[in-house]
C-alpha cells in the first residue's frame, strides 16, 4: 500500500485530496508617507546626479557652483511640491 493520505470506504482505499495551498496575503499598498519618502529619495539622487554631471561638464569653479545651485534649488522646489501634495493627500484620507 502506498503512503498517501486517505481512508478506506466500502473496502477501497480513497486518496484524500491534497490540501489547497494557503494564499499569501497581498502586500499592503504603500502609504502616503512611503510614497513621499521614495519620491524624496529619488529627487535627492537626481539632484546629486546633476551636480556630479555638472562637475564633469563644466570646467570652471563658477560653472560648478552655478549648476550646483540651480540643481539644488530645483530639488528643493520639487521636494516642497511633493510634501504639499502629500499633506493634501493625508488630509483627504482623514476626511474619508
Amino acid at each position: 500500500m502506498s503512503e498517501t493520505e486517505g481512508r478506506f470506504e466500502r473496502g477501497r482505499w480513497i486518496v484524500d485530496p491534497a490540501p489547497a495551498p494557503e494564499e499569501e496575503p497581498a502586500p499592503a499598498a504603500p502609504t502616503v508617507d512611503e510614497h513621499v519618502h521614495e519620491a524624496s529619495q529619488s529627487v535627492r539622487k537626481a539632484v546629486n546626479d546633476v551636480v556630479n554631471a555638472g562637475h564633469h561638464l563644466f570646467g570652471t569653479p563658477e560653472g560648478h557652483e552655478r549648476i550646483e545651485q540651480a540643481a539644488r534649488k530645483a530639488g528643493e522646489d520639487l521636494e516642497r511640491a511633493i510634501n504639499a501634495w502629500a499633506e493634501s493627500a493625508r488630509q483627504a484620507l482623514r476626511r474619508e
Side-chain angles (χ1 to χ4, degrees):
M1 180 172 239
S2 70
E3 294 182 22
T4 59
E5 297 286 324
R7 64 194 180 285
F8 278 104
E9 275 187 21
R10 298 183 186 162
R12 294 186 60 194
W13 182 254
I14 305 296
V15 176
D16 288 337
E22 292 184 23
E23 290 185 26
E24 292 184 26
T31 65
V32 171
D33 289 332
E34 289 169 334
H35 279 295
V36 170
H37 179 71
E38 287 177 24
S40 293
Q41 282 183 321
S42 182
V43 167
R44 283 187 212 107
K45 183 180 180 328
V47 168
N48 287 333
D49 289 347
V50 169
V51 168
N52 289 335
H55 282 270
H56 290 291
L57 297 175
F58 299 102
T60 65
E62 295 82 18
H64 293 173
E65 188 172 327
R66 187 169 187 191
I67 192 73
E68 188 171 333
Q69 287 175 351
R72 296 216 186 280
K73 169 104 173 63
E76 289 168 3
D77 292 345
L78 188 51
E79 283 202 59
R80 270 196 293 281
I82 290 168
N83 289 332
W85 165 83
E87 185 55 35
S88 174
R90 281 188 202 98
Q91 289 175 359
L93 288 172
R94 285 186 201 124
R95 282 184 247 148
E96 290 181 6

